Structures are given as structure tokens and as C-alpha cells.
Amino acid sequence: MHCISEDTRHGDSDDGRGQGPQRLAGAPFSHRGTPWAGIALLCSLVVPAGWIAGCATREPAPAPAPAPVRPVAPMARPAPSPGAARNWDEFRLRAAQKLVAANPGITYTGSVPEPLLAIPVLSVELNADGSVARIDVMRHPSQAKDTTQIAIDAVRRAAPFGDVSRLPRPWKYVETFLFDEERKFKPVTLDR
């Protein structure tokens, strides 16, 4: 059942006096029959709701918790290289330690066995930067003569030995190699 007639929905009806749509006494004017009726209704409800919502107080959103501060680990730095040796004794000790470090598979650091297989002695002449200029054999062993070449090769692998330019000339040192039965050596400087 329709509340209004077809004529009223389109705004064509009047009350006979030419005054437009009929309305009841005391009732507000109705836009039901006009094309703008929906828009007017929507505006009358939505706009005041927006004003009211704009006036409402909101609690501010809680600030995000600060990220935990993690301590920054210092970057690993290579160990500083030791300064130049102050004298030839200090240089010989450093050179012997470098010989062992550069030749881990053919050295030993424990006590010296009895009897030794071979004892070659080398004289190592150096350049100012610690590189090897020349190696002379001062003593060849009577047996296991191949140990002399093992010692020479070990010196070349360990070089350079560090700056010697501040040490007195000639830049030369002597090392004795104590070989055990397995053809592993220990510099005599480390056995003192």
C-alpha cells in the first residue's frame, strides 16, 4: 500500500489550490517524490554526524616503543705488527717464531729429542725490508742431507722478516735447525 499517490511521488499533485504536494498540518515538508530526495536525506544525516565526530576528543595513538639499543661490537682489527727489532737478539727471536708459524707441518716446539737426525746451519743475508737477499749453508749435516734444502725452503716461506734498516750492518743472521727423526725442525733460538 502506497502512502502517497503516483501523482504525489512525481510532484505533479496538488491540493487543488495549485500549491504543490499536499502535506499534513504540522508535518514537515517531504522530498520523497523528488529526484534529490535521497541526497538531501543523506546530507541531513551525514554532515551533522561528521561535525559531531570532529568535535569528539580522541586519545592520541600510543607512540611505538623505541627499538632496544644494542651495543655495537667493535670491528675485529688485525693485530698490529710488532715494531722493528731493537737489536739482533730480538730480531733472531722474532725470525725463529716466524719460521715456526710459517711452517707448521714441518716444525716442532717441544723438547729437543736425543739423538737428532740432522743439524744444518744457515747464514741468512737480508735486504733493508727484511726480505731474503742470500742464504749460505754454514754447516751441512753428515746424514739426511736433504734437511739442508728443507731449512732453506722454510726460510724463504717465512720471509720477509720485518724492517732491519735500523739494525747495524751487515744485515745478516745465523740460524741452526734441529731436525728430529720425522724431519721436523726447531730453530735453536727457541730452545735457549
Side-chain angles (χ1 to χ4, degrees):
M1 169 186 213
H2 297 289
C3 295
I4 55 173
S5 69
E6 284 292 317
D7 297 291
T8 305
R9 261 187 271 147
H10 298 296
D12 296 339
S13 170
D14 63 29
D15 60 358
R17 289 177 277 160
Q19 294 186 356
Q22 296 177 0
R23 62 183 166 153
L24 300 172
F29 179 76
S30 171
H31 287 287
R32 283 190 200 171
T34 65
W36 297 100
I39 295 172
L41 178 64
L42 183 63
C43 287
S44 66
L45 296 176
V46 173
V47 171
W51 288 333
I52 293 170
C55 294
T57 59
R58 287 189 198 173
E59 301 238 352
V69 177
R70 287 185 263 163
V72 177
M75 293 181 60
R77 294 185 180 149
S81 59
R86 292 172 289 191
N87 55 49
W88 279 108
D89 289 335
E90 185 178 329
F91 175 83
R92 272 190 286 279
L93 179 62
R94 288 182 186 181
Q97 291 168 339
K98 193 162 183 187
L99 273 168
V100 171
N103 298 284
I106 58 171
T107 58
Y108 64 93
T109 55
S111 61
V112 178
E114 290 282 336
L116 287 168
L117 175 67
I119 307 172
V121 179
L122 303 180
S123 173
V124 182
E125 187 177 341
L126 303 167
N127 296 313
D129 65 352
S131 60
V132 175
R134 181 176 167 175
I135 299 175
D136 292 319
V137 179
M138 298 186 69
R139 180 182 186 277
H140 287 282
S142 58
Q143 61 181 12
K145 295 188 185 275
D146 63 310
T147 58
T148 302
Q149 190 59 49
I150 294 171
I152 292 170
D153 293 342
V155 169
R156 294 204 186 280
R157 272 192 296 275
F161 294 99
D163 184 19
V164 294
S165 64
R166 295 189 181 126
L167 295 176
R169 286 182 178 238
W171 297 322
K172 189 184 277 191
Y173 80 102
V174 175
E175 186 61 78
T176 302
F177 294 79
L178 308 174
F179 278 89
D180 66 7
E181 291 292 327
E182 297 175 9
R183 286 183 161 64
K184 292 184 177 186
F185 72 86
K186 178 178 186 178
V188 76
T189 303
L190 296 180
D191 197 46
R192 295 183 183 166

